[in-house]
Every structure is written in C-alpha cells, then in structure tokens.
Amino acid sequence: MTTPPTSTPSSTTSLRFKRLLLTGAAGGLGRVLRPRLKAYCDVLRLSDLADLGTAAAGEELSQVALQDGAAVHGLLEGVDAVVHLGGVSVEAAFDPILQANIVGTYNLYEAARKHGVRRVLFASSNHVTGFYRQDEVLGTDAAPRPDGLYGVSKAFGENLARFYFDRYGIETACLRIGSSFAEPKDRRMLATWMSFDDLERLVVSCLTAPLVGYSVVYGMSNNRTQWWDNTKARHLGYVPQDSSEPFRAAVEARQAPLDYNDPAVLYQGGAFVRTGPFE
Ligand code: NAI
Ligand code: 15L
C-alpha cells in the first residue's frame, strides 16, 4: 500500500517549471519565497527595484523598476510562470502607486502576452474589499470596496488580469492576501493572518493547479475567526494547515479596549481605512 502524499510545504511536485519569475523578491514575502520556490523550478529569476544580494545556484537576478516597460519586457523573456509580488504594498501617495502598481502591472501583462507566458500569480490584497465590515463574510466574488488608493490599484490589477485572460488566455490567480507575517500582530490579524508555510502552500497550489483561468482566492490560514469564504476557489486546491489560534491569548492580552467609533475596528481593512491622504 502506498502512503498518500501530505500537504507539507517544500514538497516536491511532478510539475516543475523551467524558469519561474518572482518579482518583489527583495521584499518581506519575496525573501520568504525565494528559497522555497527553488524546489519547483530549474531556474528562479528574481527581480526587484532594491538590491537582491548575490545569486545562489539556479538563480538569476535582475534589478528592474516595474514602470520601465522595456526592462520589464526583458524580464519576462524565457519565463514559464510569474509570481508577481513587486510594487507598493501599503497606502501611499498616488504617484508611486501609479508607477509601480498600475503602470508596472500593465507592463508585466503586456510583456507576458508578447512572450507567451501562460500563468501569473498576482499578489492582490484584502484591501480590495477593505471597506466591508468585520461582521460580514465575503465570497471571492464580492464586489470590490477598496479602502484606499492602494486597494484601488490592486482592484485595477485584478481587472487587468481578468481582461488578459478573456482576451489572450493568460491565466491569473489573484491572491487577496490578508496579513502574511511571522505572527499575527493584533486582534484583526487573528482573522486575516496567513502563515509563511500557508503562503507557500497557496502559491504552489496556484502554480500547479491544472486549470486556473481567472481566479480570486483570499490568502489566509485556517483561522477560527474568518471574514472570507474561499469555497469558489476550491478548484485551486489550497488547503491551509496553520491557524492564528495559538497566538490568540497573547494578542488579546496586549490589545487595547476596542473603540467601536474607530473605523479601524469596524472595517476589514483595519487602519488602512483611515490612512492618508498623502501629498
Ligand atoms: P514589500 O513592500 O515588503 O515588498 C514589495 C517589493 O516590491 C519591495 O521589495 C520593493 O522594493 C518592490 N517594489 C516597490 N516598488 C517597485 C517598483 N516600482 N519596481 C520594482 N519593484 C518595486 O511587500 P510584501 O509584504 O513583501 O508584499 C508582497 C506583495 O504582496 C505586495 O504586492 C503586497 O501588496 C502584497 N500583499 C502583502 C501582504 C502581506 O501581508 N505581506 C498582504 C496583502 C498583499
Ligand atoms: C496589505 O496589503 C499589506 O501589504 C500588508 O503590509 C499588511 O498591512 C496587510 O495588507 C494587512 O491588511 O494586514
């Protein structure tokens, strides 16, 4: 009798890629995925605006600004699939968001189209739907209610992905990531947290699912409190294994009393709903 494979991260897969591109590789999640994605490809091409250090075996490094169309075109050459994490990752002034998240994501899809790249994992964000209340549970087809310009830019990326699938057949999994950090930092993150191991599970599921088409999935662990329902993304095969629950007691012990007049307490986007404006 054979033992069924377990869903541990860093498991090998029969579906190996020749060359994967990871953008935003110098960022928080990029640094988490850099050593882990190597198991799934022969060559891992890493890109960022920031310095990427020294290339390890099987790595290619490319320091590129996403708003530089010609450079992004070169970045996509010879690539099988893209994990697109690069861009402004918090609420900010409109111009950097415009350059990195709007112009940059357009450049990425145009280059993917020209080079025949068939699959993109787009790091979207829970802030696409941040203005829903914390007493609502959303499906992956909930209409966008962005909580700032950052959330608007991620909604743009999701729409762009939809268009490139409908017109050109480029598949995208839009990962509406909640809060992926080493630990949940506050009460809100008890609902929104995704462990790094679950992040890897999510990314690998979306890279290796036979058919992705255009899909939206919330990136969260198997937390006790949840505001999102991934039922309609079950075809991706993402099964989170971790939970924020072991952190609950410590988080609640340091949590200030809740002020229900504070929009950050009412809305899913938390403090993002009242951040800015930035000049
Ligand atoms: P991060 O800010 O640590 O990393 C983003 C990377 O993108 C940085 O290394 C930065 O240098 C690069 N970048 C920024 N502007 C650029 C430009 N114009 N050209 C090229 N590169 C540029 O963000 P983090 O936490 O690693 O998140 C990765 C992705 O996941 C981001 O797209 C973020 O919006 C998304 N996300 C992350 C969440 C989290 O909990 N960490 C939650 C929801 C979404
Ligand atoms: C995000 O989109 C941000 O990139 C990340 O830094 C966190 O703030 C996260 O959302 C969150 O909502 O906790």
Side-chain angles (χ1 to χ4, degrees):
M1 201 174 103
T2 51
T3 314
T6 53
S7 171
T8 47
S10 295
S11 59
T12 52
T13 169
S14 54
L15 216 170
R16 272 180 74 87
F17 295 87
K18 197 157 175 288
R19 182 179 281 104
L20 278 182
L21 169 64
L22 176 65
T23 72
L29 300 187
R31 279 179 277 123
V32 168
L33 288 177
R34 179 174 177 171
R36 297 175 183 229
L37 284 184
K38 195 61 206 52
Y40 305 98
C41 57
D42 297 337
V43 177
L44 183 60
R45 182 173 292 167
L46 302 154
S47 123
D48 205 291
L49 193 58
D51 181 48
L52 288 156
T54 312
E59 288 184 347
E60 295 175 346
L61 308 185
S62 189
Q63 211 169 345
V64 157
L66 290 163
Q67 57 270 37
D68 180 343
V72 172
H73 181 80
L75 198 57
L76 273 280
E77 192 174 354
V79 163
D80 299 317
V82 184
V83 181
H84 180 44
L85 302 185
V88 173
S89 64
V90 289
E91 188 61 354
F94 184 62
D95 195 58
I97 288 178
L98 171 67
Q99 297 306 322
N101 296 12
I102 295 183
V103 176
T105 305
Y106 166 76
N107 287 339
L108 186 104
Y109 275 93
E110 264 301 280
R113 178 181 72 77
K114 289 176 180 158
H115 287 295
V117 178
R118 304 310 300 163
R119 190 172 290 186
V120 177
L121 273 52
F122 170 57
S124 184
S125 170
N126 72 91
H127 295 286
V128 167
T129 50
F131 255 127
Y132 284 92
R133 288 170 55 104
Q134 295 185 10
D135 51 10
E136 294 175 275
V137 177
L138 315 180
T140 53
D141 51 1
R145 290 179 73 175
D147 57 30
L149 297 175
Y150 165 65
V152 169
S153 75
K154 293 294 187 181
F156 170 85
E158 291 189 359
N159 274 324
L160 194 70
R162 166 96 264 180
F163 166 67
Y164 274 84
F165 176 64
D166 289 343
R167 175 74 75 87
Y168 304 112
I170 300 175
E171 294 190 299
T172 295
C174 296
L175 318 181
R176 284 188 185 163
I177 302 170
S179 309
S180 194
F181 298 100
E183 292 184 5
K185 298 175 184 171
D186 55 24
R187 179 196 57 87
R188 172 179 169 271
M189 288 193 194
L190 294 174
T192 62
W193 186 65
M194 176 168 59
S195 71
F196 293 149
D197 285 351
D198 279 341
L199 169 71
E200 180 183 344
R201 290 184 183 98
L202 176 63
V203 166
V204 172
S205 297
C206 293
L207 280 174
T208 57
L211 269 185
V212 162
Y214 170 82
S215 297
V216 174
V217 57
Y218 281 95
M220 58 182 170
S221 282
N222 186 23
N223 303 324
R224 190 181 92 192
T225 314
Q226 297 188 3
W227 301 330
W228 311 313
D229 177 354
N230 274 332
T231 302
K232 288 187 176 169
R234 287 180 68 175
H235 58 285
L236 297 173
Y238 169 55
V239 182
Q241 305 286 308
D242 296 324
S243 165
S244 62
E245 210 49 25
F247 302 96
R248 179 176 292 276
V251 166
E252 289 183 348
R254 62 174 187 262
Q255 177 79 47
L258 297 182
D259 172 4
Y260 289 95
N261 294 314
D262 180 355
V265 170
L266 288 180
Y267 294 104
Q268 295 188 2
F272 276 60
V273 304
R274 53 170 163 69
T275 305
F278 294 88
E279 298 302 324

